[in-house]
């Protein structure tokens, strides 16, 4: 029998900011772009639970978040505080938390900056697992002053869904016998991999909750979704054999960024691209890659027209510690960028709204 845990930190960036600045505690808090009195560009990275009551959440345009906060204030709610993000700090906290996870498990898998799967099968009982995970919650609270929500189940799929059911500060245990009853009434969207498109399609087929999905024959799901239909069939039954392991292969590292103002200024854009190259290289190192073959630059113009340019070096570009790698990455990124500033890729001289940099075919 396997006992698998999913841990997801509560309002992660916001909780770290609250901890760093006690004056923020108890107030609605938004981490993300500068709202600039409602004219700000960019998005909300996260909001604490007080701010979520106003409808503010991740990925919302910050201008919209600002209006929601303003409306709440007019209703007599406390003022919402907006703070910029400090990604480096969040990364540092994340790696300390991952070390705690490692101590508490037979194997662990970092799923994102604030979530991980733990395999604690050696405990052999769900009761012991629950006690141990309550201790883990306390430890994270004591060491880092942060809250998390934990799901315990017979596999990663159930653990993940369970951790999201009682947020914040949840501890939800679903044994193998409880899987069906737990999943059946939930909306199909809880199943990882069912995004807005699959959800809309399934709704058209009158499939709204997991029980309805579970009753669709495997052959029909495969007809609808191809080989993914087979996985979906298993997931609807609560089956997931995937191991908890950090050995998974990440396919790429990258990031993108929207400018404060759409820009035609090469100096400004290339400066941002340099900073981005530094962060992407750091991410590559952190994930213990030794290099990459392909770099892709994404440019989105003010009219949302979005273009990619890639360059592949077959023999690969190694990232040593001499600083040469950074220079090389910056140079390559600039080479990819330049045509967007002249007739080659931008004959009408459009302004740039967003750039992204991605390293692929990792070594
Ligand atoms: P989440 O775990 O999705 O969100 P959360 O930890 O803030 O809140 P909760 O889990 O309690 O619902 O993401 C972890 C962090 O990742 C989040 O604090 C900020 C960042 N993030 C973004 O930057 N952009 C996004 O769109 C999302 C979803 C998260
Ligand atoms: Mg979280």
């Amino acid at each position: 029998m396997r006992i698998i845990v999913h841990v997801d930190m509560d309002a992660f960036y916001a909780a770290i900011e609250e901890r760093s600045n006690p004056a923020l505690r108890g107030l609605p808090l938004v981490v993300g772009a500068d709202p600039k009195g409602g004219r700000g560009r960019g998005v909300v990275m996260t909001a604490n639970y007080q701010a979520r009551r106003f409808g503010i959440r991740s990925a919302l345009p910050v201008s919209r978040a600002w209006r929601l906060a303003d409306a709440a204030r007019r209703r007599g709610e406390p003022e919402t505080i907006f703070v910029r993000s400090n990604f480096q700090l969040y990364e540092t906290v994340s790696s300390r938390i991952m070390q705690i996870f490692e101590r508490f498990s037979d194997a662990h898998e970092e799923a994102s900056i604030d979530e991980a799967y733990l395999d604690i099968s050696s405990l052999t009982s769900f009761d012991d697992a629950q006690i141990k995970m309550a201790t883990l919650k306390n430890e994270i609270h004591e060491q880092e002053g942060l809250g998390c929500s934990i799901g315990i189940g017979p596999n990663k799929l159930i653990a993940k869904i369970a951790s999201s059911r009682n947020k914040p500060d949840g501890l939800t245990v679903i044994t193998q016998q409880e899987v069906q009853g737990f999943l059946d009434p939930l909306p199909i969207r809880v199943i990882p991999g069912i995004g807005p498109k699959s959800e809309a399609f399934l709704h058209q087929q009158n499939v709204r909750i997991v029980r309805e999905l579970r009753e669709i024959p495997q052959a029909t799901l495969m007809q609808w979704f191809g080989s993914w239909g087979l996985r979906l069939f298993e997931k609807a039954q609560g089956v997931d054999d995937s191991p908890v392991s950090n050995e998974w292969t990440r396919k790429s590292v990258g990031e993108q960024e929207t400018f404060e103002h759409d820009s035609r200024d090469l100096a400004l854009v290339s400066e941002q691209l340099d900073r981005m190259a530094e962060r992407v290289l750091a991410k590559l190192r952190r994930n213990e890659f030794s290099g990459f073959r392909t770099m892709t630059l994404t440019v989105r113009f003010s009219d949302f027209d979005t273009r990619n340019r890639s360059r592949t070096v077959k023999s690969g570009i190694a990232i040593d510690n001499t600083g040469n790698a950074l220079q090389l990455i910056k140079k390559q990124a600039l080479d990819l960028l330049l045509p967007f500033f002249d007739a080659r890729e931008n004959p009408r001289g459009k302004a740039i709204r967003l750039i992204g940099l991605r390293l692929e075919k990792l070594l």
Side-chain angles (χ1 to χ4, degrees):
M1 181 187 69
R2 292 203 301 158
I3 306 177
I4 307 297
V5 176
H6 182 255
V7 191
D8 189 322
M9 304 302 295
D10 296 330
F12 188 51
Y13 294 3
I16 294 175
E17 294 296 339
E18 284 179 52
R19 182 199 61 176
S20 316
N21 181 358
L24 298 173
R25 217 161 280 162
L27 295 175
L29 178 68
V30 174
V31 180
D34 187 343
K36 304 214 160 141
R39 287 169 291 108
R41 305 279 294 257
V43 295
V44 171
M45 294 177 131
T46 195
N48 69 1
Y49 281 78
Q50 287 93 314
R52 288 185 204 191
R53 288 190 298 120
F54 311 150
I56 300 174
R57 52 192 156 69
S58 298
L60 207 65
V62 76
S63 53
R64 174 131 178 73
W66 194 86
R67 286 197 296 277
L68 289 166
D70 198 44
R73 190 179 52 80
R74 285 165 202 274
R75 293 194 302 269
E77 296 279 3
E79 178 130 18
T80 302
I81 313 289
F82 287 79
V83 298
R84 303 301 82 71
S85 58
N86 179 354
F87 192 68
Q88 245 167 5
L89 172 64
Y90 311 149
E91 285 274 17
T92 313
V93 176
S94 172
S95 50
R96 283 201 303 262
I97 290 169
M98 296 298 168
Q99 283 171 18
I100 303 179
F101 293 160
E102 193 170 1
R103 272 198 285 116
F104 270 77
S105 60
D106 310 330
H108 80 293
E109 175 177 329
E110 301 178 14
S112 81
I113 189 164
D114 87 324
E115 60 182 310
Y117 293 98
L118 319 183
D119 189 329
I120 52 169
S121 304
S122 61
L123 287 179
T124 69
S125 104
F126 274 76
D127 288 341
D128 290 349
Q130 180 163 4
I131 293 166
K132 181 142 182 185
M133 289 305 105
T135 317
L136 171 65
K137 275 167 82 86
N138 282 337
E139 176 117 357
I140 295 176
H141 213 270
E142 269 163 32
Q143 279 203 20
E144 296 294 338
L146 298 171
C148 63
S149 295
I150 297 188
I152 306 178
N155 59 48
K156 286 162 76 175
L157 169 74
I158 300 302
K160 165 112 182 159
I161 299 174
S163 75
S164 69
R165 296 320 291 171
N166 295 308
K167 258 187 166 295
D169 199 31
L171 177 55
T172 308
V173 185
I174 306 294
T175 63
Q176 183 62 58
Q177 294 71 29
E178 294 165 336
V179 164
Q180 198 92 79
F182 169 65
L183 282 184
D184 270 0
L186 298 179
I188 50 175
R189 191 65 187 273
V190 302
I191 295 194
I194 297 193
K197 278 190 193 153
S198 315
E199 183 187 40
F201 172 81
L202 286 163
H203 280 180
Q204 277 169 15
Q205 319 300 321
N206 277 321
V207 177
R208 288 170 188 281
I209 57 172
V210 178
R211 184 180 51 75
E212 289 159 347
L213 183 62
R214 175 163 65 82
E215 287 167 357
I216 307 283
Q218 182 176 327
T220 310
L221 285 175
M222 290 184 71
Q223 205 180 320
W224 287 345
F225 297 106
S227 58
W228 154 243
L230 179 60
R231 289 287 300 120
L232 196 53
F233 181 78
E234 289 177 345
K235 288 184 188 204
Q237 334 287 318
V239 173
D240 175 17
D241 295 329
S242 59
V244 172
S245 161
N246 260 336
E247 310 286 303
W248 58 285
T249 46
R250 190 189 253 281
K251 289 203 175 68
S252 69
V253 299
E255 62 173 65
Q256 53 183 40
E257 184 175 325
T258 305
F259 294 120
E260 290 290 326
H261 304 284
D262 296 348
S263 179
R264 291 187 180 81
D265 182 347
L266 175 60
L268 186 142
V269 175
S270 60
E271 170 66 24
Q272 294 294 331
L273 188 58
D274 277 357
R275 298 287 84 76
M276 195 176 273
E278 287 162 11
R279 292 192 299 267
V280 170
L281 176 60
K283 211 182 265 186
L284 199 63
R285 289 212 164 102
R286 218 166 35 241
N287 285 283
E288 295 180 350
F289 287 103
S290 60
F292 66 96
R293 288 205 177 87
T294 300
M295 171 186 289
T296 300
L297 176 79
T298 301
V299 167
R300 177 171 295 149
F301 293 110
S302 49
D303 59 0
F304 279 79
D305 178 17
T306 305
R307 311 274 179 85
N308 289 306
R309 292 189 75 222
S310 292
R311 174 175 297 173
T312 298
V313 176
K314 275 233 173 70
S315 55
I317 292 181
I319 50 163
D320 46 29
N321 284 316
T322 60
N324 293 343
L326 181 60
Q327 291 317 315
L328 205 61
I329 289 173
K330 285 183 177 172
K331 160 99 176 46
Q332 226 188 60
L334 184 63
D335 287 348
L336 289 171
L337 178 69
L338 286 173
F340 293 107
F341 280 85
D342 60 37
R344 282 173 287 174
E345 292 283 346
N346 191 6
R348 303 209 333 258
K350 290 188 282 193
I352 293 176
R353 177 185 167 82
L354 163 153
I355 55 170
L357 187 67
R358 181 156 291 281
L359 305 178
E360 294 155 298
K361 304 218 168 65
L362 304 180
L363 304 167

